[in-house]
Amino acid sequence: MAGAEAATLDGEFTVDELAARTGMTVRTLRFYASEGLLPPPRRRGRVAYYGANHRMRLDLIRTLQEHGYTLSAIQRVLARLPEDASPAEFAAQSAVLAPWLPGHTEELDRAELTRRVGAPLDDDQLQSLADLGAVQRLPDGRFRISQAMLGHAAELTKLPVPPAALRESARIIQEHATAVADGLTDLFARAIWGPYQRGELSHEQVVAILERMRPLALEGLVGAFARAADDAAHRRLEN
């Protein structure tokens, strides 16, 4: 007991203690270690000890998994981090890779999705919801939903709108959204991430920039679309 307490006081944990503090199983920790996601622990005799850096890596792994990143993508992210990375470096990586709309999606099975919509859904209606971007089919048979879009999309599928029109509207939105996202990503890489990697911006500055840049870009995109849609309607009526 005394040895365990000393390890904790020194900021080091046995694999059992690390599992307890991160809410993961020992088996999961050993799997991550075998995949190269964790650096080797420090050994004293026959006992392996893990430090704060291991715990921060595990927190980042869990965050990225919750955001839908694959194991190979997580491996690439962690490979860019030095073993002695600071908490600020982990915060910067987490901020860069975080979703633009955190907390606005849920994962449901088909029964839960049916209850949420309030009516049975056939395969064609499910496809329409997916075409509109309100529902995404996941490999495990569950569905990731957009809370903001699901209600409107479900009501729209009940109205006499041709499915082809729904698919075409989704295609137009996706095409232009991809172009905007690619442009903003390229701009971020040149103007923010490049200077950060050269040491011209601090970790804290990158996090602060993203916290303000993301909502501004989203609101700007919505506002620009609303103005453009109004202008398009006026032009159509005037012709």
mmCIF file of all heavy atoms in Angstrom, residues 20-39:
data_model
loop_
_atom_site.group_PDB
_atom_site.id
_atom_site.type_symbol
_atom_site.label_atom_id
_atom_site.label_comp_id
_atom_site.label_asym_id
_atom_site.label_seq_id
_atom_site.Cartn_x
_atom_site.Cartn_y
_atom_site.Cartn_z
ATOM 1 N N ALA A 20 -8.117 2.759 -13.595
ATOM 2 C CA ALA A 20 -9.158 3.295 -12.710
ATOM 3 C C ALA A 20 -9.360 4.789 -12.931
ATOM 4 O O ALA A 20 -10.495 5.279 -12.924
ATOM 5 C CB ALA A 20 -8.789 3.016 -11.252
ATOM 6 N N ARG A 21 -8.267 5.525 -13.140
ATOM 7 C CA ARG A 21 -8.356 6.980 -13.300
ATOM 8 C C ARG A 21 -8.894 7.396 -14.660
ATOM 9 O O ARG A 21 -9.445 8.489 -14.810
ATOM 10 C CB ARG A 21 -6.990 7.615 -13.035
ATOM 11 C CG ARG A 21 -6.671 7.706 -11.547
ATOM 12 C CD ARG A 21 -5.178 7.912 -11.306
ATOM 13 N NE ARG A 21 -4.907 8.139 -9.896
ATOM 14 C CZ ARG A 21 -4.918 7.185 -8.966
ATOM 15 N NH1 ARG A 21 -5.187 5.937 -9.307
ATOM 16 N NH2 ARG A 21 -4.663 7.461 -7.707
ATOM 17 N N THR A 22 -8.717 6.575 -15.678
ATOM 18 C CA THR A 22 -9.195 6.920 -17.016
ATOM 19 C C THR A 22 -10.521 6.259 -17.359
ATOM 20 O O THR A 22 -11.114 6.562 -18.394
ATOM 21 C CB THR A 22 -8.162 6.502 -18.075
ATOM 22 O OG1 THR A 22 -7.896 5.095 -17.972
ATOM 23 C CG2 THR A 22 -6.856 7.277 -17.898
ATOM 24 N N GLY A 23 -10.994 5.362 -16.506
ATOM 25 C CA GLY A 23 -12.236 4.669 -16.788
ATOM 26 C C GLY A 23 -12.121 3.631 -17.877
ATOM 27 O O GLY A 23 -13.133 3.221 -18.468
ATOM 28 N N MET A 24 -10.906 3.187 -18.171
ATOM 29 C CA MET A 24 -10.681 2.157 -19.176
ATOM 30 C C MET A 24 -10.277 0.857 -18.498
ATOM 31 O O MET A 24 -9.918 0.847 -17.320
ATOM 32 C CB MET A 24 -9.585 2.596 -20.158
ATOM 33 C CG MET A 24 -9.893 3.867 -20.923
ATOM 34 S SD MET A 24 -8.542 4.320 -22.055
ATOM 35 C CE MET A 24 -9.194 5.841 -22.750
ATOM 36 N N THR A 25 -10.330 -0.216 -19.245
ATOM 37 C CA THR A 25 -9.903 -1.487 -18.689
ATOM 38 C C THR A 25 -8.404 -1.665 -18.893
ATOM 39 O O THR A 25 -7.799 -1.056 -19.792
ATOM 40 C CB THR A 25 -10.635 -2.650 -19.374
ATOM 41 O OG1 THR A 25 -10.243 -2.713 -20.762
ATOM 42 C CG2 THR A 25 -12.141 -2.482 -19.284
ATOM 43 N N VAL A 26 -7.803 -2.517 -18.082
ATOM 44 C CA VAL A 26 -6.383 -2.834 -18.248
ATOM 45 C C VAL A 26 -6.146 -3.447 -19.623
ATOM 46 O O VAL A 26 -5.138 -3.154 -20.279
ATOM 47 C CB VAL A 26 -5.922 -3.790 -17.125
ATOM 48 C CG1 VAL A 26 -4.513 -4.310 -17.409
ATOM 49 C CG2 VAL A 26 -5.981 -3.081 -15.775
ATOM 50 N N ARG A 27 -7.076 -4.264 -20.062
ATOM 51 C CA ARG A 27 -6.946 -4.882 -21.391
ATOM 52 C C ARG A 27 -6.893 -3.821 -22.482
ATOM 53 O O ARG A 27 -6.097 -3.922 -23.436
ATOM 54 C CB ARG A 27 -8.119 -5.827 -21.624
ATOM 55 C CG ARG A 27 -8.065 -6.562 -22.951
ATOM 56 C CD ARG A 27 -9.234 -7.519 -23.085
ATOM 57 N NE ARG A 27 -9.207 -8.221 -24.359
ATOM 58 C CZ ARG A 27 -10.106 -9.107 -24.738
ATOM 59 N NH1 ARG A 27 -11.100 -9.417 -23.903
ATOM 60 N NH2 ARG A 27 -10.019 -9.698 -25.899
ATOM 61 N N THR A 28 -7.730 -2.786 -22.373
ATOM 62 C CA THR A 28 -7.728 -1.712 -23.367
ATOM 63 C C THR A 28 -6.407 -0.962 -23.355
ATOM 64 O O THR A 28 -5.840 -0.655 -24.413
ATOM 65 C CB THR A 28 -8.880 -0.734 -23.094
ATOM 66 O OG1 THR A 28 -10.129 -1.432 -23.224
ATOM 67 C CG2 THR A 28 -8.864 0.426 -24.063
ATOM 68 N N LEU A 29 -5.881 -0.673 -22.161
ATOM 69 C CA LEU A 29 -4.605 0.035 -22.064
ATOM 70 C C LEU A 29 -3.489 -0.778 -22.717
ATOM 71 O O LEU A 29 -2.635 -0.223 -23.428
ATOM 72 C CB LEU A 29 -4.266 0.321 -20.601
ATOM 73 C CG LEU A 29 -5.251 1.197 -19.814
ATOM 74 C CD1 LEU A 29 -4.695 1.510 -18.443
ATOM 75 C CD2 LEU A 29 -5.564 2.477 -20.569
ATOM 76 N N ARG A 30 -3.487 -2.065 -22.469
ATOM 77 C CA ARG A 30 -2.438 -2.909 -23.053
ATOM 78 C C ARG A 30 -2.592 -3.008 -24.569
ATOM 79 O O ARG A 30 -1.595 -3.092 -25.296
ATOM 80 C CB ARG A 30 -2.466 -4.282 -22.387
ATOM 81 C CG ARG A 30 -1.912 -4.213 -20.959
ATOM 82 C CD ARG A 30 -1.945 -5.530 -20.237
ATOM 83 N NE ARG A 30 -1.241 -5.420 -18.956
ATOM 84 C CZ ARG A 30 -1.530 -6.115 -17.872
ATOM 85 N NH1 ARG A 30 -2.513 -7.001 -17.902
ATOM 86 N NH2 ARG A 30 -0.838 -5.948 -16.753
ATOM 87 N N PHE A 31 -3.829 -2.980 -25.045
ATOM 88 C CA PHE A 31 -4.050 -2.981 -26.495
ATOM 89 C C PHE A 31 -3.481 -1.702 -27.105
ATOM 90 O O PHE A 31 -2.787 -1.744 -28.131
ATOM 91 C CB PHE A 31 -5.535 -3.100 -26.809
ATOM 92 C CG PHE A 31 -5.857 -2.850 -28.256
ATOM 93 C CD1 PHE A 31 -5.548 -3.792 -29.228
ATOM 94 C CD2 PHE A 31 -6.466 -1.663 -28.643
ATOM 95 C CE1 PHE A 31 -5.828 -3.554 -30.569
ATOM 96 C CE2 PHE A 31 -6.751 -1.415 -29.981
ATOM 97 C CZ PHE A 31 -6.437 -2.366 -30.940
ATOM 98 N N TYR A 32 -3.770 -0.543 -26.493
ATOM 99 C CA TYR A 32 -3.241 0.715 -27.005
ATOM 100 C C TYR A 32 -1.714 0.706 -27.007
ATOM 101 O O TYR A 32 -1.076 1.192 -27.947
ATOM 102 C CB TYR A 32 -3.752 1.892 -26.174
ATOM 103 C CG TYR A 32 -5.221 2.195 -26.357
ATOM 104 C CD1 TYR A 32 -5.958 2.805 -25.339
ATOM 105 C CD2 TYR A 32 -5.883 1.887 -27.537
ATOM 106 C CE1 TYR A 32 -7.311 3.092 -25.504
ATOM 107 C CE2 TYR A 32 -7.232 2.175 -27.704
ATOM 108 C CZ TYR A 32 -7.932 2.769 -26.686
ATOM 109 O OH TYR A 32 -9.260 3.056 -26.844
ATOM 110 N N ALA A 33 -1.134 0.164 -25.962
ATOM 111 C CA ALA A 33 0.330 0.083 -25.890
ATOM 112 C C ALA A 33 0.879 -0.801 -27.004
ATOM 113 O O ALA A 33 1.891 -0.477 -27.636
ATOM 114 C CB ALA A 33 0.758 -0.439 -24.526
ATOM 115 N N SER A 34 0.196 -1.923 -27.269
ATOM 116 C CA SER A 34 0.661 -2.837 -28.315
ATOM 117 C C SER A 34 0.548 -2.215 -29.699
ATOM 118 O O SER A 34 1.285 -2.584 -30.617
ATOM 119 C CB SER A 34 -0.140 -4.142 -28.260
ATOM 120 O OG SER A 34 -1.485 -3.942 -28.688
ATOM 121 N N GLU A 35 -0.381 -1.248 -29.862
ATOM 122 C CA GLU A 35 -0.562 -0.577 -31.147
ATOM 123 C C GLU A 35 0.332 0.655 -31.283
ATOM 124 O O GLU A 35 0.261 1.366 -32.283
ATOM 125 C CB GLU A 35 -2.032 -0.148 -31.305
ATOM 126 C CG GLU A 35 -3.001 -1.310 -31.447
ATOM 127 C CD GLU A 35 -2.775 -2.096 -32.724
ATOM 128 O OE1 GLU A 35 -2.599 -1.471 -33.784
ATOM 129 O OE2 GLU A 35 -2.763 -3.347 -32.662
ATOM 130 N N GLY A 36 1.165 0.905 -30.271
ATOM 131 C CA GLY A 36 2.081 2.041 -30.327
ATOM 132 C C GLY A 36 1.462 3.374 -29.978
ATOM 133 O O GLY A 36 2.065 4.422 -30.223
ATOM 134 N N LEU A 37 0.258 3.365 -29.398
ATOM 135 C CA LEU A 37 -0.399 4.618 -29.030
ATOM 136 C C LEU A 37 0.124 5.185 -27.718
ATOM 137 O O LEU A 37 -0.078 6.366 -27.427
ATOM 138 C CB LEU A 37 -1.910 4.404 -28.918
ATOM 139 C CG LEU A 37 -2.617 3.929 -30.195
ATOM 140 C CD1 LEU A 37 -4.103 3.753 -29.941
ATOM 141 C CD2 LEU A 37 -2.383 4.888 -31.342
ATOM 142 N N LEU A 38 0.779 4.354 -26.918
ATOM 143 C CA LEU A 38 1.346 4.791 -25.647
ATOM 144 C C LEU A 38 2.839 4.505 -25.642
ATOM 145 O O LEU A 38 3.257 3.420 -26.068
ATOM 146 C CB LEU A 38 0.686 4.066 -24.469
ATOM 147 C CG LEU A 38 -0.800 4.304 -24.213
ATOM 148 C CD1 LEU A 38 -1.285 3.408 -23.077
ATOM 149 C CD2 LEU A 38 -1.067 5.765 -23.910
ATOM 150 N N PRO A 39 3.651 5.424 -25.142
ATOM 151 C CA PRO A 39 5.084 5.136 -25.006
ATOM 152 C C PRO A 39 5.302 4.102 -23.901
ATOM 153 O O PRO A 39 4.423 3.900 -23.049
ATOM 154 C CB PRO A 39 5.678 6.494 -24.634
ATOM 155 C CG PRO A 39 4.556 7.259 -24.022
ATOM 156 C CD PRO A 39 3.310 6.792 -24.718
#
